[in-house]
Amino acid sequence: MPDDAGVASYAHLEATPGISGDIWFSHSGGLFHSVDTGRTFVRVAAAQIPNPKWLTVGRSDTTAGSHPVLFVHNSNSVVNGNTFAIHRSDDNGVSWTEILQRVPGVVLNMCADQQGRVFFGTYGNGLFVGVPTAGPVTGVSINPPADTLVETDSVRLAVTLSPLYPDNRNYSFSSTNPSVASVDANGWVKALSAGTAGIVVTTQDGGLKDTTLITVTPFVHITSVTLDTAVYMGLGNTTNLVAKILPVDATNKKINWSSSDSSRVKVSAGGIITALKLGQATITATSADGGLSAAITIYVNTISAAINMGDTAVVANFRRDPRPFSGTGTAGQPTRLTERGLPIRRRRRSINQRSSVWITARCITCPGWCRAALIPCVCTLLKSTPTLVTVADVLTCM
């Protein structure tokens, strides 16, 4: 940055609207531009703008293709042969156009908007606004040229005039099918019912027109929301609940989640539940469309993690046993557990469970046999009067 040799001077720092990291700085030593959030600056238009007093940055208009617009006030320094003038650049300071000479008073502040306009306040002489003009309207376009909306949706249309700043910038909107899509004076289109409608923009100057086609599709409402009836979780575990929504092509599938006891089971906005305390809680899923709901009971228990004994002699509370007992079976059906082909008789309990089981480790703290993958130990099951043990018996203890 330039050294002003200790002489008091005006300095202004402006960020370019809509461009990240783009900064302009004016100083008694000139006009400077940075494109890296102020890490480095390059002097701009040293010959044309040697000593700017005021700087402001706006945009040419509000459309996506608009560009930055710079305005400087040169006070008593000479720019293009004049003093106390306001100059405008539409190409990042490469070229400048004098838009006012001379200003009606001492400028105290200056700013720009996103319509290509500049505003400045003067000492004792009021507030002024400069509005660009460029003759009659020669063209008009509407964006987007076509769009598809769902019933109840809204969209705002953008209008571009040619030239950008005609003498008369006024225009109006109308709908060819107001029962399908309506439009207000600001270009907001509201989808009302299924069908198609043309939204027409008409310029006041010359009556030039352009049309965008709006297609409205029906809003498909949710008819049902369902969840599993119950989920069993270990303390501290998390899982993701998924609500089944019908019909599958429903328009708004947003689900709001809640817990009957968030201190025990909490649920996120996305349906992820976390078990915090032992016990149970009810999680409810409610549709944003129609308020339909479904509930699921979450049971929180103490469940140990699976341990692969492998060749490890002792793991936590379990010791590998050289005489593994094994058994396979079907849910609800008696199954013999064997040790080297010999049946083991223990007390039978009538509990309906599923799958097969492999008992591979002995609990160090008691004489019973336990499955290494789960807890608790089956000590109480295996100490009683000998009888046939079912797979259901073993799974129940786990």
Side-chain angles (χ1 to χ4, degrees):
M1 302 304 294
D3 182 2
D4 63 2
V7 179
S9 61
Y10 288 93
H12 299 281
L13 187 68
E14 293 268 339
T16 304
I19 303 179
S20 177
D22 198 89
I23 297 175
W24 291 86
F25 178 78
S26 67
H27 182 270
S28 60
L31 178 64
F32 299 84
H33 185 209
S34 172
V35 295
D36 55 8
T37 321
R39 293 182 180 86
T40 59
F41 282 87
V42 175
R43 187 169 184 181
V44 176
Q48 297 168 287
I49 311 293
N51 182 17
K53 182 177 180 181
W54 289 99
L55 162 72
T56 185
V57 184
R59 296 195 73 84
S60 58
D61 56 62
T62 57
T63 65
S66 66
H67 58 270
V69 180
L70 306 177
F71 297 93
V72 297
H73 170 46
N74 64 312
S75 189
N76 61 350
S77 61
V78 178
V79 175
N80 291 337
N82 293 314
T83 58
F84 298 99
I86 294 179
H87 303 265
R88 169 178 172 141
S89 174
D90 287 82
D91 53 10
N92 277 347
V94 175
S95 60
W96 295 85
T97 300
E98 185 179 276
I99 61 173
L100 178 63
Q101 202 284 324
R102 109 189 221 134
V103 295
V106 178
V107 176
L108 298 179
N109 206 343
M110 189 166 70
C111 64
D113 68 3
Q114 296 191 43
Q115 296 285 354
R117 297 176 295 191
V118 62
F119 304 80
F120 62 90
T122 60
Y123 183 77
N125 201 25
L127 179 67
F128 295 82
V129 57
V131 180
T133 59
V137 176
T138 59
V140 61
S141 62
I142 193 169
N143 189 60
D147 205 352
T148 298
L149 304 177
V150 177
E151 286 175 332
T152 74
D153 279 356
S154 297
V155 67
R156 189 176 187 182
L157 303 176
V159 175
T160 302
L161 299 175
S162 298
L164 288 177
Y165 307 106
D167 294 337
N168 184 347
R169 301 196 59 186
N170 296 321
Y171 48 81
S172 60
F173 292 97
S174 61
S175 173
T176 62
N177 196 346
S179 64
V180 171
S182 64
V183 62
D184 66 13
N186 296 312
W188 278 103
V189 177
K190 177 78 171 180
L192 303 175
S193 62
T196 58
I199 304 300
V200 183
V201 61
T202 305
T203 63
Q204 192 177 85
D205 177 15
L208 303 179
K209 299 178 183 291
D210 193 24
T211 302
T212 182
L213 180 65
I214 301 296
T215 302
V216 180
T217 59
F219 190 104
V220 180
H221 292 279
I222 292 177
T223 58
S224 71
V225 177
T226 56
L227 291 168
D228 290 337
T229 56
V231 166
Y232 295 84
M233 298 179 64
L235 188 64
N237 289 344
T238 62
T239 190
N240 191 10
L241 298 181
V242 178
K244 182 179 180 181
I245 297 172
L246 293 177
V248 294
D249 60 344
T251 300
N252 183 2
K253 296 183 180 180
K254 178 176 173 57
I255 293 293
N256 298 313
W257 297 90
S258 62
S259 172
S260 64
D261 188 351
S262 57
S263 67
R264 196 173 304 279
V265 180
K266 71 175 182 179
V267 60
S268 71
I272 299 175
I273 57 174
T274 304
L276 303 176
K277 289 167 49 178
L278 296 179
Q280 66 185 65
T282 300
I283 304 297
T284 303
T286 305
S287 65
D289 172 29
L292 302 178
S293 63
I296 181 173
T297 302
I298 309 300
Y299 296 92
V300 182
N301 299 306
T302 303
I303 301 176
S304 69
I307 300 173
N308 182 2
M309 295 299 289
D311 292 328
T312 304
V314 177
V315 176
N317 200 36
F318 293 91
R319 178 175 62 243
R320 186 184 60 188
D321 194 277
R323 303 172 302 161
F325 291 87
S326 65
T328 61
T330 305
Q333 299 298 319
T335 301
R336 290 179 179 273
L337 299 180
T338 62
E339 178 188 7
R340 298 177 182 175
L342 299 177
I344 304 172
R345 297 191 175 275
R346 292 290 188 266
R347 180 171 59 89
R348 179 176 180 180
R349 301 169 66 184
S350 56
I351 302 292
N352 184 24
Q353 288 289 349
R354 68 182 190 280
S355 186
S356 62
V357 63
W358 296 88
I359 301 177
T360 59
R362 168 170 283 182
C363 182
I364 295 174
T365 58
C366 67
W369 293 93
C370 304
R371 184 182 182 188
L374 294 171
I375 66 168
C377 144
V378 293
C379 304
T380 57
L381 173 66
L382 301 178
K383 287 180 180 178
S384 302
T385 306
T387 185
L388 187 63
V389 179
T390 68
V391 175
D393 294 333
V394 179
L395 289 175
T396 300
C397 284
M398 295 177 185

